[in-house]
Amino acid sequence: QSVLTQPPSVSAAPGQKVTISCSGSSSNIGNNYVSWYQQFPGTAPKLLIYENNKRPSGIPDRFSGSKSGASATLGITGLRTGDEAAYYCGTWDSSLSAGVFGGGTKLTVL
Amino acid sequence: QVQLQESGPGLVKPSQTLSLTCTVSGGSIRSGGHYWSWIRQHPGKGLEWIGHIYYSGSTYYNPSLKSRVTISVDTSKNQFSLKLSSVTAADTAVYYCARAGLIVVVPAAIWFDPWGQGTLVTVSS
């Protein structure tokens, strides 16, 4: 069981917007920053968002992050078939003194 | 730009010790400001943080693995390593090394970038 909770799957049509949720508790998301990763099958995860809403260089502004209370959200606009991947949230858990991840969400672009 | 590459045996026998090395290129482990991490992914499953190390040798470990994990650093070779003892089939996974940004004072933060390509380690007799 993952410390952070994500929906197993989401889907949306090309060109549309999708959001992926990540819920935790006060010991992790509630008081700490969240990061998001994209992973295609057979490849390593790639950082999309760090510190809740910052994008590393090279990540398009179609990807955005937000946080409210003990939940975080990844938003993807202008969906493309190339966005089909698994998406993971992560953060630091201050009670565990450990990095923690969500179970991942598979995005299907219909 | 910084690149990471995992290396080590792809097959380990039960009860033995899994040993992997991550070689960092394009930058120095001693540059500071980052931690050097190990993360694993069981087949078809999510990500699990194993632990990380600073170039000075300071470490953080996942409490669920702490009794079996040792992460070390060799700054002269620009490498860091993972040892996981007493392995079972449940330790079969793809093991990734990654550079981590870390802030431990609340609001804390951790993010991993870049990642190595990953290496599959199978525990089987």
Side-chain angles (χ1 to χ4, degrees), chain A residues 27-93:
Chain A
S27 67
N28 42 67
I29 293 178
N31 283 290
N32 297 327
Y33 291 108
V34 177
S35 55
W36 289 92
Y37 305 86
Q38 177 189 58
Q39 185 181 34
F40 296 107
T43 69
K46 175 183 178 181
L47 178 68
L48 288 179
I49 298 287
Y50 66 102
E51 291 184 11
N52 296 341
N53 54 21
K54 296 179 180 178
R55 288 186 308 275
S57 174
I59 301 300
D61 59 7
R62 298 190 301 111
F63 296 90
S64 64
S66 63
K67 193 187 91 165
S68 177
S71 292
T73 301
L74 173 70
I76 311 173
T77 60
L79 277 172
R80 307 169 181 176
T81 56
D83 294 329
E84 286 200 338
Y87 293 84
Y88 293 89
C89 57
T91 188
W92 184 257
D93 190 297

Side-chain angles (χ1 to χ4, degrees), chain A residues 31-33 35 37 39 42-47 49-51 56 88 90-92 94 96-103, chain B residues 39 41 45-49 52 60-63 96 102-113 115-118:
Chain A
N31 283 290
N32 297 327
Y33 291 108
S35 55
Y37 305 86
Q39 185 181 34
T43 69
K46 175 183 178 181
L47 178 68
I49 298 287
Y50 66 102
E51 291 184 11
Y88 293 89
T91 188
W92 184 257
S94 300
L96 298 173
S97 289
V100 292
F101 291 100
Chain B
I39 297 154
Q41 186 169 34
K45 302 296 184 182
L47 303 168
E48 180 180 27
W49 176 79
H52 53 231
Y60 286 89
Y61 295 139
N62 187 322
Y96 295 100
L102 176 67
I103 304 170
V104 295
V105 178
V106 173
I110 188 167
W111 64 96
F112 304 98
D113 179 55
W115 298 59
Q117 66 184 26

